[in-house]
Amino acid sequence: MSYMLETNNLGISFGGLKAVQDVNLKIEKNCLYGLIGPNGAGKTTLFNMLTGVYKPTTGSFSLDGENLTGLSQETINHKGIARTFQNIRLFNNMSVIRNVLVGLHNQPDFKCNPFVSMIHAKRHYENESNMRNRAKELLRIFDLEEERNNLACNLPYGKQRKLEIARALATNPKLLLLDEPAAGMNPQETAELMDTIRFIRDEFDLTVLLIEHDMSLVSGICDEITVLNFGTVLDHGSTRSVLANPEVIKAYLGD
Amino acid sequence: MTYFGYVKNDFKFKHIVNYVIVGAALILFTVLQLVGAIPRSTSYLLTQISYSIILSVSLNLVVGFLGELSLGHAGFMCAGAYIGCYFGGILSEYIGSKLLVLIISMLIGGIVAAVFGLIVGLPALRLKGDYLAIVTLAFGEIVRNLCKNVPWFGKSLGLSTKTYGVKLFIVGFAVILIMLILLQNLIRSKHGRAITAIRDNEIAARAMGINVTYYKLFVFVFSAFFAGVAGVLYGNYATPVLYSFFSYNYSIEILVMVVLGGMGNITGSIISATLITIANFILTTKLSGDLAAIKNLVYALILMVVVIFNNAPALQSFKEKFSFAALNDRLMEKKRAKNPEKFAADIRNDSAQWSRIPTKISMDEILSTDVVSNEGIRDEGDKPSAK
């Protein structure tokens, strides 16, 4: 059986500090997979390795059977891994719809040579209106269509998070990495977000790996979870069994 | 800066203003030239203005839209001027038409400068902010001294060129128009969107799969091409072409035009390039002899006064009320009030969203463009050390 994401002893050290070591994840296709752990456990570092921000010092990872270790961020995105950021990184000086349009930039349907754009040939206009329609469809899913001409930095926090997911989806990924998608959301927004994540998983045929501290979200939607502590895997398995593990509770709450 | 929930200043036709300004100037001065109403000195001033505008607008693409500080623009101009004019001199023996020779030598100069842009860009664009500025600064000096020491280019006596004559500015303004069409179309396309995305947040742009190196290089080469073209224009205006003209001071002067006009503001670059060139011209002609020593002092004072007044609250509020964008805003608001369905503020052409490009980045901010990205890396841990 081939896995969507498979990591083999993935690890990274900064100088003498082993930030993450020996992580073996096996995520099946269409799975909603959770990654939890106390602060500083290395969750975001793991995301950064999977998206090419950091080059792993040990081990390897593969997407859908294809080894992606050591590739650049751009290439990894083209191969099908998209992400959102823990500290929101939208293009703040752009309107909401333009943020999504940037995400659509590399889609094969919208290829357009810079020199064609320079003379604003007919192809350029067709391309732009097609991109715009696709972007509006994506925004509609996240209920952002009305705000499409607002500046991204003027959106409320929860909507900025949603916009980041929409923008990541625009790159047409196979695997979506969500870094604390519910941070800064109230319980009602979190509940809506859970529905949205499930919906996009089915609609776009995605596999989702998410980092989250909100246990109601994790236990609500994740099929499986992995717990990281001090850069190593503490436990992994189905959500129910992992959350009942006394070791995990100890890592979170202390003795 | 929202306005009834919409982006304020959703001015769709800002690029057209630039075409109108330059096109009107081109037609007006061409007609005046043909009736013989322009004195020789004014036509030379117009030539100076035309190549200054080309330089400042092309540098604005790098500094304002891409957000990288380049201090080597005079270097690209130098490469274009020397090599374009050298080949122009050879070609003029075979081709009778002066205009054709000028156009071919402009293309040669531009392409040579673009190749230089590629050579510098490949290693230099791994750097950011101050470091890129230092490398481009050094590059400018290297090119200048290289040209000084090439035997065919007349060494320190300079390369003597055939001047084109008083009608050169007409060609210059035509080149500006062509450059504006290409540059503004590029900015208003998906590629322009990618370029501004890189400026806004490079890490996010990379994560969205945008090939940052490709776009940085593209912008660098594009702007170097037009710097080379401007160099050939300069070479056809001034003889001999002296290496000392292309010193880093001139690079800084181009940067001053860009900063004064506003980062990412093309109309501003056009206007400030014009005004600074005129100020320079007047100072040079009026302050001759012993007074020449205070030229730099007066020039600096003028710059300081302009910067202070440009940021004065009174002028700012005046601009907000009476700029083209504000007038358009008011018009759109009225139309919206009458017919909210039809004018639902759908910005069809917002690809570059000109108005949102921050126009008042202080020098401080330009010189520390890497701070933003460093912070980004810092809050996610340090880079892994090389083994």
Side-chain angles (χ1 to χ4, degrees):
Chain A
M1 159 132 206
S2 86
Y3 294 97
M4 182 48 88
L5 178 75
E6 190 169 2
T7 68
N8 287 315
N9 298 326
L10 199 63
I12 189 169
S13 41
F14 302 106
L17 175 76
K18 287 177 177 167
V20 175
Q21 48 179 326
D22 296 334
V23 173
N24 292 297
L25 293 177
K26 285 185 172 55
I27 303 179
E28 284 169 24
K29 197 166 188 300
N30 283 341
C31 184
L32 274 168
Y33 202 97
L35 187 62
I36 62 170
N39 287 332
K43 306 180 294 293
T44 300
T45 309
L46 183 61
F47 264 33
N48 282 340
M49 279 192 281
L50 293 178
T51 49
V53 178
Y54 299 149
K55 305 271 178 277
T57 44
T58 57
S60 64
F61 67 96
S62 58
L63 180 77
D64 217 0
E66 189 180 359
N67 188 1
L68 300 183
T69 324
L71 296 179
S72 71
Q73 288 182 62
E74 295 96 300
T75 323
I76 287 180
N77 181 271
H78 299 169
K79 299 280 184 194
I81 300 184
R83 74 174 292 183
T84 65
F85 294 89
Q86 184 178 4
N87 43 349
I88 299 176
R89 286 184 189 281
L90 289 169
F91 305 118
N92 281 330
N93 288 321
M94 295 186 183
S95 62
V96 169
I97 193 164
R98 279 192 71 201
N99 269 278
V100 180
L101 287 172
V102 171
L104 289 170
H105 186 85
N106 279 310
Q107 291 312 298
D109 306 358
F110 307 127
K111 282 269 180 259
C112 185
N113 191 306
F115 297 99
V116 174
S117 295
M118 260 189 227
I119 53 169
H120 268 203
K122 195 181 164 205
R123 168 142 181 69
H124 161 84
Y125 289 106
E126 285 171 2
N127 225 354
E128 282 291 305
S129 71
N130 290 343
M131 281 174 97
R132 219 153 257 279
N133 290 337
R134 176 85 72 85
K136 278 183 197 167
E137 279 169 28
L138 280 167
L139 288 176
R140 200 170 299 142
I141 294 173
F142 292 91
D143 213 7
L144 286 166
E145 207 195 354
E146 288 295 304
E147 274 115 342
R148 66 179 178 277
N149 291 322
N150 277 353
L151 284 187
C153 59
N154 287 343
L155 289 181
Y157 205 70
K159 286 189 173 174
Q160 290 195 7
R161 290 233 172 260
K162 284 182 176 176
L163 177 56
E164 255 205 332
I165 302 175
R167 188 182 65 175
L169 274 182
T171 64
N172 194 14
K174 293 181 200 165
L175 174 68
L176 182 63
L177 308 183
L178 302 176
D179 201 340
E180 297 198 18
M185 287 188 179
N186 61 33
Q188 191 201 338
E189 282 177 321
T190 308
E192 281 172 18
L193 182 73
M194 284 161 67
D195 291 338
T196 317
I197 292 176
R198 272 198 212 97
F199 175 77
I200 56 174
R201 192 254 319 248
D202 301 334
E203 180 80 12
F204 295 90
D205 196 22
L206 283 175
T207 310
V208 181
L209 172 60
L210 58 90
I211 294 177
E212 190 48 72
H213 285 302
D214 187 333
M215 283 306 149
S216 66
L217 186 133
V218 173
S219 56
I221 62 172
C222 288
D223 306 322
E224 284 181 59
I225 51 180
T226 286
V227 188
L228 279 184
N229 195 21
F230 296 116
T232 51
V233 176
L234 190 67
D235 194 7
H236 66 92
S238 72
T239 309
R240 187 181 288 264
S241 66
V242 169
L243 291 183
N245 184 342
E247 286 282 319
V248 174
I249 296 166
K250 198 171 125 189
Y252 257 94
L253 301 177
D255 290 312
Chain B
M1 280 273 278
T2 50
Y3 195 60
F4 297 118
Y6 299 112
V7 178
K8 200 181 173 186
N9 293 348
D10 51 343
F11 187 34
K12 295 179 203 169
F13 307 111
K14 199 160 183 181
H15 58 290
I16 293 176
V17 173
N18 297 333
Y19 298 142
V20 171
I21 294 176
V22 176
L26 175 62
I27 293 166
L28 178 70
F29 290 120
T30 307
V31 170
L32 286 179
Q33 176 68 42
L34 292 180
V35 273
I38 294 187
R40 188 166 276 267
S41 67
T42 312
S43 87
Y44 288 149
L45 172 62
L46 285 171
T47 310
Q48 286 187 14
I49 289 173
S50 68
Y51 67 71
S52 302
I53 291 178
I54 297 174
L55 287 168
S56 67
V57 172
S58 60
L59 185 64
N60 202 342
L61 185 66
V62 178
V63 182
F65 289 94
L66 184 68
E68 293 290 357
L69 185 56
S70 161
L71 292 178
H73 221 50
F76 297 124
M77 185 189 178
C78 178
Y82 269 98
I83 296 168
C85 291
Y86 180 72
F87 280 103
I90 294 173
L91 282 172
S92 62
E93 288 167 22
Y94 301 100
I95 302 173
S97 161
K98 259 180 147 183
L99 182 65
L100 193 61
V101 173
L102 178 62
I103 290 171
I104 294 174
S105 55
M106 278 198 296
L107 281 177
I108 293 175
I111 289 167
V112 167
V115 170
F116 272 90
L118 194 68
I119 294 169
V120 184
L122 275 174
L125 289 172
R126 293 161 184 274
L127 305 170
K128 271 184 193 139
D130 314 9
Y131 305 103
L132 179 64
I134 292 166
V135 169
T136 49
L137 185 76
F139 159 78
E141 291 299 296
I142 290 169
V143 170
R144 188 164 79 95
N145 285 301
L146 215 62
C147 289
K148 178 190 164 193
N149 288 305
V150 173
W152 311 311
F153 294 164
K155 296 233 170 174
S156 53
L157 289 175
L159 176 70
S160 47
T161 53
K162 289 202 173 72
T163 51
Y164 185 78
V166 288
K167 286 180 189 165
L168 183 59
F169 73 86
I170 300 175
V171 183
F173 275 92
V175 172
I176 298 175
L177 214 53
I178 294 169
M179 176 185 68
L180 281 180
I181 292 170
L182 295 180
L183 192 146
Q184 303 199 99
N185 281 350
L186 179 75
I187 293 297
R188 282 154 27 78
S189 71
K190 62 178 265 196
H191 304 286
R193 210 153 45 215
I195 291 165
T196 38
I198 293 169
R199 183 198 58 196
D200 258 19
N201 200 328
E202 194 176 322
I203 293 176
R206 271 183 204 278
M208 289 301 110
I210 285 171
N211 194 337
V212 173
T213 318
Y214 170 81
Y215 278 109
K216 282 189 174 176
L217 214 53
F218 187 89
V219 168
F220 225 65
V221 169
F222 186 92
S223 91
F225 177 87
F226 281 101
V229 171
V232 177
L233 277 174
Y234 168 76
N236 277 279
Y237 150 75
T239 184
V241 176
L242 274 176
Y243 77 101
S244 56
F245 177 78
F246 307 102
S247 67
Y248 74 93
N249 273 325
Y250 195 65
S251 293
I252 302 279
E253 197 175 316
I254 305 166
L255 186 69
V256 167
M257 292 172 192
V258 173
V259 173
L260 215 59
M263 315 289 272
N265 184 345
I266 291 187
T267 319
S269 283
I270 294 174
I271 293 171
S272 74
T274 310
L275 294 182
I276 287 183
T277 313
I278 291 174
N280 254 335
F281 187 82
I282 293 173
L283 286 176
T284 321
T285 46
K286 298 288 175 202
L287 300 176
S288 51
D290 289 345
L291 287 174
I294 61 166
K295 184 200 143 190
N296 282 338
L297 188 69
V298 178
Y299 180 66
L301 275 176
I302 291 175
L303 281 185
M304 277 154 71
V305 169
V306 169
V307 169
I308 291 167
F309 276 94
N310 208 14
N311 286 324
L315 188 67
Q316 290 295 334
S317 63
F318 178 82
K319 272 196 213 159
E320 270 188 21
K321 272 183 198 157
F322 295 103
S323 66
F324 284 108
L327 291 176
N328 177 70
D329 252 11
R330 253 176 272 162
L331 197 70
M332 285 308 288
E333 244 358 275
K334 270 184 196 164
K335 281 186 181 172
R336 244 175 239 146
K338 271 186 198 162
N339 194 347
E341 298 261 311
K342 195 175 168 192
F343 299 98
D346 190 85
I347 311 167
R348 218 187 100 248
N349 253 335
D350 74 336
S351 15
Q353 206 139 33
W354 303 69
S355 51
R356 281 312 310 166
I357 292 162
T359 49
K360 272 184 293 173
I361 302 181
S362 63
M363 268 321 271
D364 225 38
E365 274 179 65
I366 317 170
L367 289 171
S368 58
T369 34
D370 62 327
V371 171
V372 181
S373 40
N374 275 355
E375 270 171 8
I377 289 165
R378 210 175 298 135
D379 62 22
E380 283 162 7
D382 284 314
K383 283 255 170 199
S385 59
K387 276 199 173 173

